[in-house]
């Protein structure tokens, strides 16, 4: 039996409003289209908080991740790296425009 591969990556939230409203919707839509299920957690004091489903707009908004906050994305499985990297790169962009 093949062992599951977990992939994690941290990035900073670039959007001025953080992961709220429009940026949360864009990230959730992108997460829903990924091959692997991605979870996201806000980093506080270097430690990841409780993760939420990155495909959930409400979940993303409850993180309270603001501009400049660090978040950690996690997924497992064959497409974990590609899925996490795609979302990390999106979150690192200013999605307010």
């Amino acid at each position: 039996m093949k062992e599951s591969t977990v992939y994690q990556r941290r990035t900073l939230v670039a959007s001025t409003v953080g992961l709220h409203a429009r940026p949360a919707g864009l990230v959730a839509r992108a997460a829903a289209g990924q091959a692997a299920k991605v979870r996201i957690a806000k980093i506080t004091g270097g430690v990841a908080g409780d993760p939420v489903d990155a495909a959930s707009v409400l979940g993303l908004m409850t993180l309270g991740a603001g501009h400049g906050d660090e978040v950690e994305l996690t997924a497992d499985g064959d497409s974990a790296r590609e899925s996490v990297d795609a979302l990390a790169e999106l979150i690192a962009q200013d999605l307010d425009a």
Side-chain angles (χ1 to χ4, degrees), residues 5-78:
T5 306
V6 175
Y7 179 68
Q8 293 180 321
R9 178 174 169 184
R10 291 185 177 189
T11 192
L12 298 179
V13 177
S15 292
T16 307
V17 297
L19 289 181
H20 192 72
R22 185 173 186 275
L26 293 171
V27 171
R29 201 167 318 126
Q34 296 302 317
K37 181 177 178 175
V38 179
R39 311 259 312 147
I40 183 171
K42 181 178 172 183
I43 305 300
T44 306
V47 178
D50 293 331
V52 299
D53 183 353
S56 166
V57 174
L58 277 177
L60 290 169
M61 291 173 48
T62 62
L63 286 176
H67 175 76
D69 284 343
E70 188 175 30
V71 293
E72 181 177 83
L73 299 133
T74 307
D76 62 359
D78 293 338

